[in-house]
């Protein structure tokens, strides 16, 4: 029998085989020892790095999926088109949401996923800041405007003093005197006051045909009186055309200066500095012509007051005359006769600063005056707050957005739709008095947007007045309602997936690390 000691040795409870004992006592190659030690250090460290990367990836992905899908589910039942409007009041949100609900949830969600946003604005300043952000608002150089005012003033001075215009003035004065005399004779025949029904001159009056009106029938006016008025109108138009040519790009404003006060109000200049700036432009563009027009306007009012009989009417007119004397800005002006021009600028206060805009070009002023806007390049809609609840301006602008989005996302549909839209628009132009909307006759885009507005506001009127537009509008809305949108179920699945990834990341983090 083989002795136990020749099989192996016992060290405590451990049995060591002869082969293992021999290996333990055999010398180890130093190179092999370095390889074994490096493997023991490398692989556990590499495993920990992979686990850390897996944990961070799972956690980041899970948080992102959970946040995005959770937010989508939270807003799935309300118009997310309004979420970009940070100062939207609860009342505005309610009114806008009610109007958007008429389009249906599929259309609203499709527009939302297309990136369309809606801004409800409370003031022109807010619209101005929006236009400025979109690069549409272009302020004018005040020095350049002042230089142009001087140039226009000099050109109008030459036009007013030209021989042709002086001859026209003489003709106008002769015709006006004849018209006044014809009016006086006719009033005398009928027992009426001999006051021309032209009030306090051009641009605002309050006197007209005062006094008691006779109960008997009036005699016909002289035929010559109509002829005189036609001749007077013809000469006035010739003067206006001459002034417009002289004023160039300011020509459309010639003759529309009815009083300094009305021009100031129309300019939008509210601060003292802006009002002083506008007054300087008025003076530079009109000079002595403005002073002459004010003197003539006051004298005309004074002469009319003198013709009134004693009584309450004359007392009221005399009080008005005293007010004009104390406030010359209110004096009515005959802007056409004197070649007066109102500077075509508008002052827009943006709070901390004022922007001077052109009233005649695309500087943004006309956009500010609109009740609603659609910006295709920005996929944005703007609507004045005071239009919510009673005028469907928002529906009109959403109609623009739907057409624009279908043009991009459904080109085949739009290629077939657009020719039919233009044909219906051309047909509506043939009978404008029967059009469903006068504003819709501006162009095909406004025509269709008005169709969308009327479809929700007065569908019976739309179908009766313009059946073709009614059909195109329904087709457009039906197409928008059937566009593919991301389902809320997908958001729910993404939410569950995100939660699952976060759970997996937590499990990886809590798993015990292998011994080193």
């Amino acid at each position: 029998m083989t002795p136990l000691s020749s099989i192996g040795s016992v060290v405590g409870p451990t049995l060591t085989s002869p082969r293992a004992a021999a290996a333990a006592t055999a010398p180890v190659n130093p190179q092999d020892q370095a390889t074994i030690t490096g493997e023991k250090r490398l692989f556990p460290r590499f495993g920990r790095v992979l686990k850390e990367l897996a944990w961070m990836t799972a956690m980041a992905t899970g948080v992102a999926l959970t946040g995005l899908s959770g937010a989508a589910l939270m807003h799935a039942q309300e118009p997310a088109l309004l979420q970009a409007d940070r100062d939207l009041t609860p009342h505005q949100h309610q009114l806008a949401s009610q109007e958007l609900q008429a389009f249906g949830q599929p259309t609203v969600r499709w527009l939302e996923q297309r990136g369309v946003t809606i801004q409800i604005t409370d003031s022109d300043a807010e619209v101005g800041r929006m236009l400025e952000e979109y690069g549409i608002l272009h302020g004018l150089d005040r020095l350049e405007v002042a230089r142009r005012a001087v140039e226009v003033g000099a050109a109008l001075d030459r036009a007013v003093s030209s021989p042709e215009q002086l001859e026209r003035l003489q003709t106008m004065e002769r015709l006006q005197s004849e018209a006044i005399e014809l009016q006086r004779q006719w009033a005398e025949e009928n027992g009426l006051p001999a006051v021309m029904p032209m009030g306090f001159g051009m641009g605002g009056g309050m006197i007209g045909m005062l006094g008691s009106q006779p109960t008997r029938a009036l005699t016909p006016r002289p035929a010559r009186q109509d002829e005189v008025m036609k001749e007077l109108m013809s000469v006035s138009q010739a003067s206006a055309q001459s002034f417009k040519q002289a004023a160039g790009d300011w020509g459309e404003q010639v003759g529309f200066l009815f009083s300094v006060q009305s021009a100031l109000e129309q300019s939008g200049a509210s601060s003292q500095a802006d009002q002083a700036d506008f007054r300087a432009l008025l003076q530079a563009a009109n000079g002595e012509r403005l002073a002459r027009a004010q003197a003539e306007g006051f004298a005309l009012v004074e002469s009319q007051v003198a013709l009134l009989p004693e009584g309450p009417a004359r007392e009221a007119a005399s009080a008005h005359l005293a007010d004009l004397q104390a406030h010359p800005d209110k004096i009515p002006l005959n802007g056409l006769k004197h070649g007066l021009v109102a500077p075509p600028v508008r002052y827009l206060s943006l709070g901390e600063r004022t922007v001077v805009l052109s009233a005649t070009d695309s500087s943004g002023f006309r956009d500010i005056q609109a009740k609603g806007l659609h910006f295709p390049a920005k996929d944005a809609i703007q609507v004045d707050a005071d239009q919510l609840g009673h005028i469907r301006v928002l529906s009109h602008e959403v109609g623009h957005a739907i057409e624009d989005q279908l043009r991009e996302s459904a080109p085949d549909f739009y290629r077939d739709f657009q020719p039919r839209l233009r044909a219906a628009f051309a047909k509506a132009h043939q009978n404008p008095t029967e059009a469903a909307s006068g504003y819709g006759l501006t162009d095909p885009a406004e025509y269709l947007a008005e169709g969308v507005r009327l479809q929700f506001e007065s569908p019976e009127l739309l179908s009766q007045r313009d059946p073709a537009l009614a059909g195109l509008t329904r087709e457009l809305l039906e197409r928008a309602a059937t566009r593919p949108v991301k389902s809320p179920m997908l958001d729910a699945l993404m939410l569950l997936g995100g939660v699952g990834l976060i759970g997996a990341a937590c499990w990886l983090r809590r798993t015990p690390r292998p011994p080193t």
Side-chain angles (χ1 to χ4, degrees), residues 259-318:
S259 71
V260 173
Q261 183 183 48
S262 66
L264 275 169
E265 292 172 351
Q266 191 174 14
S267 73
S270 55
S271 67
Q272 292 184 352
D274 290 339
Q275 289 184 2
D277 184 70
F278 186 74
R279 285 180 182 276
L281 293 177
L282 273 176
Q283 186 61 37
N286 298 286
E288 291 298 321
R289 288 177 285 108
L290 178 58
R292 290 196 298 269
Q294 285 182 320
E296 182 182 287
F298 184 83
L300 177 61
V301 175
E302 192 174 30
S303 65
Q304 290 183 334
V305 172
L307 293 174
L308 292 174
E310 294 292 340
R314 180 160 184 167
E315 292 178 2
S318 298

Side-chain angles (χ1 to χ4, degrees), residues 203 258-261 294 320 323-324 327-333:
F258 302 123
S259 71
V260 173
Q261 183 183 48
Q294 285 182 320
H320 180 69
D323 183 59
L324 293 181
H327 304 93
D329 286 352
K330 298 181 180 180
I331 295 176
L333 307 172

Side-chain angles (χ1 to χ4, degrees), residues 233-452:
M233 182 63 68
S234 176
V235 177
S236 297
Q237 290 176 348
S239 295
Q241 186 63 31
S242 173
F243 294 152
K244 287 182 178 180
Q245 291 178 353
D249 56 343
W250 286 26
E252 294 300 322
Q253 304 300 310
V254 174
F256 289 95
L257 181 57
F258 302 123
S259 71
V260 173
Q261 183 183 48
S262 66
L264 275 169
E265 292 172 351
Q266 191 174 14
S267 73
S270 55
S271 67
Q272 292 184 352
D274 290 339
Q275 289 184 2
D277 184 70
F278 186 74
R279 285 180 182 276
L281 293 177
L282 273 176
Q283 186 61 37
N286 298 286
E288 291 298 321
R289 288 177 285 108
L290 178 58
R292 290 196 298 269
Q294 285 182 320
E296 182 182 287
F298 184 83
L300 177 61
V301 175
E302 192 174 30
S303 65
Q304 290 183 334
V305 172
L307 293 174
L308 292 174
E310 294 292 340
R314 180 160 184 167
E315 292 178 2
S318 298
H320 180 69
L321 184 63
D323 183 59
L324 293 181
Q325 190 171 17
H327 304 93
D329 286 352
K330 298 181 180 180
I331 295 176
L333 307 172
N334 190 335
L336 184 58
K337 176 182 178 181
H338 295 277
L340 302 181
V341 60
V345 295
R346 299 294 182 269
Y347 293 77
L348 176 65
S349 174
L350 299 181
E352 68 284 355
R353 59 192 175 87
T354 300
V355 179
V356 180
L357 304 173
S358 170
T360 57
D361 60 19
S362 58
S363 64
F365 170 72
R366 294 180 181 178
D367 293 327
I368 292 173
Q369 298 302 299
K371 300 300 182 182
L373 295 168
H374 171 239
F375 305 96
K378 301 293 182 179
D379 292 327
I381 291 171
Q382 175 272 325
V383 174
D384 288 358
D386 59 4
Q387 302 302 305
L388 296 174
H390 58 95
I391 301 177
R392 287 186 172 270
V393 174
L394 178 56
S395 298
H396 174 101
E397 302 305 334
V398 171
H400 281 306
I402 290 175
E403 182 189 10
D404 182 62
Q405 296 300 326
L406 286 176
R407 183 187 297 110
E408 295 182 4
S409 64
D412 294 338
F413 163 79
Y414 196 77
R415 275 194 296 270
D416 173 70
F417 182 83
Q418 188 179 33
R420 292 185 286 123
L421 172 63
R422 291 186 177 277
F425 173 74
K427 184 177 179 180
H429 250 288
Q430 296 175 1
N431 194 7
T433 58
E434 296 297 323
S437 166
Y439 182 65
L441 299 179
T442 305
D443 55 48
E446 299 298 344
Y447 177 67
L448 182 60
E450 280 293 272
V452 173

